[in-house]
Amino acid sequence: MINPKPQIHSTAKPQVPHYTRLEAPNGTPLYVLHNSNQGVVRVSFVFRAGTSYQSVPFSASAVVNTLTEGTEQLSGREIAERLDFVGSYYDANIDRDWAVVTFCSLSKFSPETMDIAEQVVLHPTFPEREISVYCHKRKEQLDVQRSKPDQLSRELFGQAIFGQTHPYGITSPSEEYDHLTPAILREFYESHYTAEGCFAVLCGDISSADTKRVLAILGGLRRGGTALVREIPAPDPVEYAKWHFEGAVQSSVKVGVPLFPRSNPDFIPMQVVATAMGGYFGSRLMQNLRERNGLTYGAYAAMINLDRSGYFVMSAEVAGEATDRAIAEVMAEVERITTKPLHPKELSVVKKIIFGDVMRIFDGPFGVADVSIENIQNGTDNSYTENFLAQVESLTPKMLRDVAARNIDKNELTVTIVGD
């Protein structure tokens, strides 16, 4: 007997957990998300200490990546061994605006992990030998990365779309690593790892002792420094930029335009436009450049959310001889999405893709914490995610055509190419 075809049901919208806001004595906020299902605890210390705040090249990333190289009580080796002994996890991330230091452990080993977190966050020493080794290693890694067109393409696009001296566009030669010293790192740390420029998110199977301990760590941060938001100049994009990469088989192509941060009312609709253009395997750029014309293995589009700006970008790597044709096809897709409404079936698929991505992100306490961090960074709370889903659901083909036409002018797009 053949089983009947299963029924297809629409996915229910996720219920977004809301956090509790607490405050350390020095005013530093702590956001708490309880979830006792998995027996783990994670705390992320988020500092307004991204690369756009540095005055010395590579100093911001060097600070966040060497916090565990030594503290007043522990050497880098001792930190690694103690974390490994209890199976705890440490991670450091940095972007143009923020640096994030994260510790994760089983609930029963949270006290030991918090001891290490306190040392790393409040008492790093930036030992000279470890800093020297780090700089040498990262310099070599950057040289290797810059031997590939894709890395150069990302850097060239940032320079082209913002300006070569703009905090979001500036790049530096790898030789600048030779000039970093413990004193430079200490100065950046003391200026930007402060109470005013920090918040923390604590999630998982949290005890009252965990909450008190994190509040105590936050309370140990010094006040003052230069971590407050500072103005940045307006982008100064160029129309066209090319980087000759001799011998490259493929060209790395990026096409985009500077737009706005997430607070702009057009940001959510433009995310839907970006998804339709190149946010999933069946997107317009993939159908055109890959499926119909065989110009690339993958083509992508995205809305990039920065703290004080943002941009829309489309990207592909194509055979060198097909570069001009690929750019023409990208421009044709821009023309189509800015002049003709999406077909209702296409928009339905795009919405399902977006809803599915949100469901995947919220599958576990750490995903919820990551979304909470992004919302807090953008000056909102977790109701933003619920509003995001509601607004995506309400968008119509005509509305998306209008928002695309309002924000993407093909005559003002920046085109960058890295290739032979």
Side-chain angles (χ1 to χ4, degrees), residues 23-42:
E23 197 170 280
N26 59 4
T28 308
L30 169 64
Y31 301 91
V32 180
L33 288 154
H34 287 278
N35 186 318
S36 58
N37 293 333
Q38 297 182 6
V40 292
V41 172
R42 195 188 87 167

Side-chain angles (χ1 to χ4, degrees), residues 321-335:
E321 63 273 14
T323 302
D324 291 341
R325 184 182 171 196
I327 293 173
E329 294 297 339
V330 170
M331 293 302 185
E333 292 300 335
V334 170
E335 175 74 18

Side-chain angles (χ1 to χ4, degrees), residues 239-365:
E239 180 181 354
Y240 183 82
K242 183 166 63 175
W243 192 323
H244 180 67
F245 193 101
E246 186 173 356
V249 177
Q250 290 185 314
S251 294
S252 182
V253 177
K254 285 181 170 50
V255 181
V257 61
L259 289 178
F260 33 68
R262 196 166 73 163
S263 57
N264 190 288
D266 276 355
F267 184 82
I268 292 176
M270 276 300 299
Q271 279 192 298
V272 181
V273 170
T275 303
M277 283 290 282
Y280 66 107
F281 191 78
S283 66
R284 292 187 171 195
L285 290 176
M286 287 289 284
Q287 290 291 326
N288 184 327
L289 298 181
R290 177 186 165 116
E291 300 301 320
R292 291 200 299 272
N293 291 302
L295 300 176
T296 184
Y297 283 108
Y300 311 95
M303 274 291 294
I304 305 301
N305 169 35
L306 298 170
D307 208 25
R308 292 154 287 170
S309 186
Y311 58 91
F312 170 70
V313 61
M314 298 165 286
S315 176
E317 293 192 4
V318 301
E321 63 273 14
T323 302
D324 291 341
R325 184 182 171 196
I327 293 173
E329 294 297 339
V330 170
M331 293 302 185
E333 292 300 335
V334 170
E335 175 74 18
R336 188 160 73 100
I337 204 164
T338 56
T339 57
K340 298 179 181 179
L342 277 70
H343 191 282
K345 288 186 178 180
E346 180 186 9
L347 180 54
S348 176
V349 170
V350 169
K351 289 180 178 180
K352 290 175 181 177
I353 292 291
I354 293 173
F355 292 153
D357 285 342
V358 174
M359 294 288 287
R360 175 180 52 79
I361 292 170
F362 279 99
D363 184 22

Side-chain angles (χ1 to χ4, degrees), residues 89-342:
Y89 174 75
Y90 168 81
D91 187 42
N93 284 291
I94 191 168
D95 58 25
R96 292 293 190 181
D97 299 301
W98 300 88
V100 184
V101 179
T102 297
F103 294 87
C104 179
S105 71
L106 294 174
S107 303
K108 62 182 178 179
F109 294 125
S110 178
E112 293 90 337
T113 305
M114 293 297 179
D115 288 342
I116 298 170
E118 180 178 15
Q119 282 292 306
V120 169
V121 172
L122 298 181
H123 307 292
T125 55
F126 306 108
E128 184 171 3
R129 180 180 180 279
E130 282 73 10
I131 299 304
S132 176
V133 171
Y134 166 84
C135 290
H136 178 74
K137 184 177 180 180
R138 293 304 288 260
K139 178 182 177 182
E140 290 187 340
Q141 289 175 342
L142 183 58
D143 287 337
V144 171
Q145 290 170 351
R146 285 177 173 171
S147 68
K148 303 173 184 177
D150 185 56
Q151 172 67 25
L152 296 175
S153 178
R154 286 194 294 270
E155 295 183 3
L156 179 63
F157 184 76
Q159 295 172 13
I161 205 165
F162 287 110
Q164 294 189 23
T165 60
H166 192 280
Y168 286 159
I170 191 171
T171 60
S172 301
S174 63
E175 287 76 17
E176 292 291 344
Y177 274 113
D178 297 335
H179 306 307
L180 287 182
T181 65
I184 291 173
L185 271 58
R186 167 62 62 179
E187 180 181 2
F188 186 87
Y189 169 81
E190 292 180 349
S191 296
H192 295 85
Y193 285 68
T194 62
E196 292 87 347
C198 177
F199 68 86
V201 173
L202 177 64
C203 70
D205 187 14
I206 304 163
S207 68
S208 59
D210 293 328
T211 304
K212 291 178 181 178
R213 191 63 190 280
V214 176
L215 285 171
I217 295 172
L218 294 175
L221 291 169
R222 70 187 62 81
R223 295 187 62 83
T226 57
L228 299 180
V229 180
R230 64 188 183 196
E231 294 296 321
I232 59 173
D236 185 24
V238 300
E239 180 181 354
Y240 183 82
K242 183 166 63 175
W243 192 323
H244 180 67
F245 193 101
E246 186 173 356
V249 177
Q250 290 185 314
S251 294
S252 182
V253 177
K254 285 181 170 50
V255 181
V257 61
L259 289 178
F260 33 68
R262 196 166 73 163
S263 57
N264 190 288
D266 276 355
F267 184 82
I268 292 176
M270 276 300 299
Q271 279 192 298
V272 181
V273 170
T275 303
M277 283 290 282
Y280 66 107
F281 191 78
S283 66
R284 292 187 171 195
L285 290 176
M286 287 289 284
Q287 290 291 326
N288 184 327
L289 298 181
R290 177 186 165 116
E291 300 301 320
R292 291 200 299 272
N293 291 302
L295 300 176
T296 184
Y297 283 108
Y300 311 95
M303 274 291 294
I304 305 301
N305 169 35
L306 298 170
D307 208 25
R308 292 154 287 170
S309 186
Y311 58 91
F312 170 70
V313 61
M314 298 165 286
S315 176
E317 293 192 4
V318 301
E321 63 273 14
T323 302
D324 291 341
R325 184 182 171 196
I327 293 173
E329 294 297 339
V330 170
M331 293 302 185
E333 292 300 335
V334 170
E335 175 74 18
R336 188 160 73 100
I337 204 164
T338 56
T339 57
K340 298 179 181 179
L342 277 70

